[in-house]
Short mmCIF file of all heavy atoms in Angstrom, two decimals:
data_model
loop_
_atom_site.label_atom_id
_atom_site.label_comp_id
_atom_site.label_asym_id
_atom_site.label_seq_id
_atom_site.Cartn_x
_atom_site.Cartn_y
_atom_site.Cartn_z
N ASN A 6 0.81 -1.22 0.00
CA ASN A 6 0.00 0.00 0.00
C ASN A 6 0.84 1.28 0.00
O ASN A 6 0.49 2.27 0.59
CB ASN A 6 -0.95 0.01 1.20
CG ASN A 6 -2.41 0.11 0.72
OD1 ASN A 6 -2.66 0.39 -0.45
ND2 ASN A 6 -3.33 -0.13 1.62
N THR A 7 2.00 1.21 -0.68
CA THR A 7 2.86 2.40 -0.76
C THR A 7 2.73 3.06 -2.13
O THR A 7 3.53 3.90 -2.49
CB THR A 7 4.34 2.01 -0.50
OG1 THR A 7 4.65 0.87 -1.30
CG2 THR A 7 4.59 1.69 0.96
N HIS A 8 1.70 2.66 -2.88
CA HIS A 8 1.46 3.29 -4.19
C HIS A 8 0.64 4.56 -3.98
O HIS A 8 0.10 4.80 -2.91
CB HIS A 8 0.74 2.31 -5.13
CG HIS A 8 -0.61 1.90 -4.62
ND1 HIS A 8 -1.75 2.66 -4.83
CD2 HIS A 8 -1.00 0.83 -3.87
CE1 HIS A 8 -2.77 2.08 -4.26
NE2 HIS A 8 -2.34 0.96 -3.66
N ARG A 9 0.57 5.36 -5.04
CA ARG A 9 -0.21 6.60 -4.96
C ARG A 9 -1.33 6.60 -6.01
O ARG A 9 -1.67 7.62 -6.57
CB ARG A 9 0.71 7.82 -5.18
CG ARG A 9 1.83 7.91 -4.15
CD ARG A 9 2.78 9.07 -4.43
NE ARG A 9 3.33 9.04 -5.79
CZ ARG A 9 4.34 8.25 -6.17
NH1 ARG A 9 4.90 7.44 -5.31
NH2 ARG A 9 4.79 8.29 -7.41
N CYS A 10 -1.84 5.39 -6.29
CA CYS A 10 -2.90 5.28 -7.31
C CYS A 10 -4.19 5.91 -6.81
O CYS A 10 -4.47 5.93 -5.61
CB CYS A 10 -3.16 3.81 -7.64
SG CYS A 10 -1.77 2.98 -8.42
N ASN A 11 -4.95 6.38 -7.76
CA ASN A 11 -6.26 6.98 -7.47
C ASN A 11 -7.19 5.91 -6.91
O ASN A 11 -7.05 4.73 -7.18
CB ASN A 11 -6.84 7.56 -8.77
CG ASN A 11 -8.08 8.40 -8.53
OD1 ASN A 11 -9.18 7.89 -8.39
ND2 ASN A 11 -7.88 9.71 -8.49
N LEU A 12 -8.15 6.37 -6.14
CA LEU A 12 -9.17 5.50 -5.53
C LEU A 12 -9.89 4.68 -6.60
O LEU A 12 -10.27 3.54 -6.38
CB LEU A 12 -10.16 6.39 -4.77
CG LEU A 12 -11.08 5.72 -3.77
CD1 LEU A 12 -10.28 5.08 -2.64
CD2 LEU A 12 -12.06 6.75 -3.19
N HIS A 13 -10.03 5.28 -7.79
CA HIS A 13 -10.74 4.61 -8.90
C HIS A 13 -9.75 4.02 -9.90
O HIS A 13 -10.04 3.98 -11.10
CB HIS A 13 -11.68 5.60 -9.60
CG HIS A 13 -12.66 6.23 -8.65
ND1 HIS A 13 -13.69 5.53 -8.05
CD2 HIS A 13 -12.74 7.51 -8.18
CE1 HIS A 13 -14.36 6.33 -7.26
NE2 HIS A 13 -13.82 7.54 -7.30
N ALA A 14 -8.61 3.59 -9.40
CA ALA A 14 -7.60 3.00 -10.29
C ALA A 14 -7.10 1.69 -9.71
O ALA A 14 -7.18 1.46 -8.51
CB ALA A 14 -6.44 3.97 -10.47
N GLU A 15 -6.59 0.84 -10.59
CA GLU A 15 -5.98 -0.43 -10.17
C GLU A 15 -4.48 -0.22 -10.09
O GLU A 15 -3.90 0.49 -10.90
CB GLU A 15 -6.23 -1.49 -11.25
CG GLU A 15 -7.58 -2.14 -11.21
CD GLU A 15 -7.68 -3.14 -12.38
OE1 GLU A 15 -7.14 -4.25 -12.24
OE2 GLU A 15 -8.26 -2.75 -13.41
N CYS A 16 -3.86 -0.86 -9.10
CA CYS A 16 -2.41 -0.81 -8.98
C CYS A 16 -1.83 -2.05 -9.62
O CYS A 16 -2.29 -3.17 -9.39
CB CYS A 16 -2.03 -0.75 -7.49
SG CYS A 16 -0.25 -0.84 -7.22
N LEU A 17 -0.83 -1.88 -10.48
CA LEU A 17 -0.17 -3.01 -11.15
C LEU A 17 1.30 -2.98 -10.75
O LEU A 17 2.00 -2.01 -11.02
CB LEU A 17 -0.30 -2.89 -12.67
CG LEU A 17 -1.73 -2.73 -13.22
CD1 LEU A 17 -1.70 -2.26 -14.66
CD2 LEU A 17 -2.47 -4.05 -13.13
N ASN A 18 1.77 -4.04 -10.11
CA ASN A 18 3.17 -4.09 -9.69
C ASN A 18 4.07 -4.35 -10.89
O ASN A 18 3.75 -5.12 -11.77
CB ASN A 18 3.37 -5.20 -8.64
CG ASN A 18 4.78 -5.17 -8.07
OD1 ASN A 18 5.28 -4.14 -7.66
ND2 ASN A 18 5.43 -6.32 -8.08
N THR A 19 5.20 -3.65 -10.94
CA THR A 19 6.22 -3.89 -11.97
C THR A 19 7.54 -4.10 -11.25
O THR A 19 7.66 -3.81 -10.06
CB THR A 19 6.34 -2.69 -12.93
OG1 THR A 19 6.79 -1.55 -12.18
CG2 THR A 19 5.05 -2.36 -13.63
N GLU A 20 8.55 -4.59 -11.97
CA GLU A 20 9.87 -4.83 -11.38
C GLU A 20 10.48 -3.50 -10.94
O GLU A 20 10.78 -2.64 -11.76
CB GLU A 20 10.76 -5.52 -12.43
CG GLU A 20 12.03 -6.14 -11.88
CD GLU A 20 11.81 -7.30 -10.91
OE1 GLU A 20 10.80 -8.03 -11.04
OE2 GLU A 20 12.64 -7.45 -10.02
N GLY A 21 10.61 -3.32 -9.62
CA GLY A 21 11.23 -2.11 -9.07
C GLY A 21 10.29 -0.91 -8.98
O GLY A 21 10.67 0.14 -8.50
N SER A 22 9.04 -1.05 -9.46
CA SER A 22 8.12 0.08 -9.43
C SER A 22 6.66 -0.41 -9.47
O SER A 22 6.37 -1.54 -9.07
CB SER A 22 8.41 1.01 -10.62
OG SER A 22 7.66 2.20 -10.49
N PHE A 23 5.76 0.43 -9.98
CA PHE A 23 4.34 0.07 -10.11
C PHE A 23 3.69 0.98 -11.15
O PHE A 23 4.25 2.01 -11.51
CB PHE A 23 3.63 0.21 -8.75
CG PHE A 23 3.57 1.62 -8.25
CD1 PHE A 23 2.45 2.43 -8.48
CD2 PHE A 23 4.63 2.18 -7.55
CE1 PHE A 23 2.39 3.74 -8.03
CE2 PHE A 23 4.59 3.49 -7.10
CZ PHE A 23 3.47 4.27 -7.34
N LYS A 24 2.52 0.57 -11.60
CA LYS A 24 1.75 1.39 -12.55
C LYS A 24 0.34 1.51 -12.03
O LYS A 24 -0.14 0.64 -11.30
CB LYS A 24 1.73 0.72 -13.93
CG LYS A 24 3.01 0.91 -14.73
CD LYS A 24 2.91 0.26 -16.09
CE LYS A 24 4.21 0.47 -16.87
NZ LYS A 24 4.50 -0.66 -17.74
N CYS A 25 -0.34 2.57 -12.41
CA CYS A 25 -1.74 2.76 -12.03
C CYS A 25 -2.58 2.85 -13.30
O CYS A 25 -2.20 3.53 -14.25
CB CYS A 25 -1.91 4.05 -11.24
SG CYS A 25 -0.89 4.12 -9.76
N LYS A 26 -3.71 2.13 -13.28
CA LYS A 26 -4.59 2.14 -14.46
C LYS A 26 -6.01 2.42 -13.99
O LYS A 26 -6.52 1.72 -13.11
CB LYS A 26 -4.49 0.78 -15.14
CG LYS A 26 -5.20 0.70 -16.47
CD LYS A 26 -5.07 -0.71 -17.04
CE LYS A 26 -5.93 -0.83 -18.29
NZ LYS A 26 -6.26 -2.23 -18.57
N CYS A 27 -6.62 3.46 -14.55
CA CYS A 27 -7.99 3.80 -14.15
C CYS A 27 -8.93 2.64 -14.43
O CYS A 27 -8.82 1.96 -15.46
CB CYS A 27 -8.47 5.04 -14.90
SG CYS A 27 -7.61 6.55 -14.36
N LYS A 28 -9.86 2.41 -13.50
CA LYS A 28 -10.83 1.32 -13.64
C LYS A 28 -11.81 1.63 -14.78
O LYS A 28 -11.92 2.76 -15.22
CB LYS A 28 -11.60 1.14 -12.32
CG LYS A 28 -10.75 0.54 -11.21
CD LYS A 28 -11.53 0.46 -9.90
CE LYS A 28 -10.64 -0.07 -8.79
NZ LYS A 28 -11.22 0.11 -7.48
N GLN A 29 -12.50 0.58 -15.20
CA GLN A 29 -13.47 0.74 -16.28
C GLN A 29 -14.48 1.82 -15.93
O GLN A 29 -14.97 1.89 -14.80
CB GLN A 29 -14.20 -0.60 -16.52
CG GLN A 29 -14.31 -0.91 -17.99
CD GLN A 29 -14.81 -2.33 -18.21
OE1 GLN A 29 -14.79 -3.15 -17.32
NE2 GLN A 29 -15.29 -2.61 -19.41
#
């Protein structure tokens, strides 16, 4: 839970980092 994704976004873990993708 150290990501900064939006409440309406999914967190996707990547090697050494993460990505955020807005939900449908």
Side-chain angles (χ1 to χ4, degrees):
N6 239 348
T7 48
H8 62 84
R9 301 176 306 281
C10 295
N11 190 278
L12 195 63
H13 303 292
E15 279 178 80
C16 175
L17 307 165
N18 186 50
T19 64
E20 194 65 30
S22 189
F23 65 95
K24 281 182 180 147
C25 303
K26 188 181 173 202
C27 290
K28 289 177 183 167
Q29 224 170 344

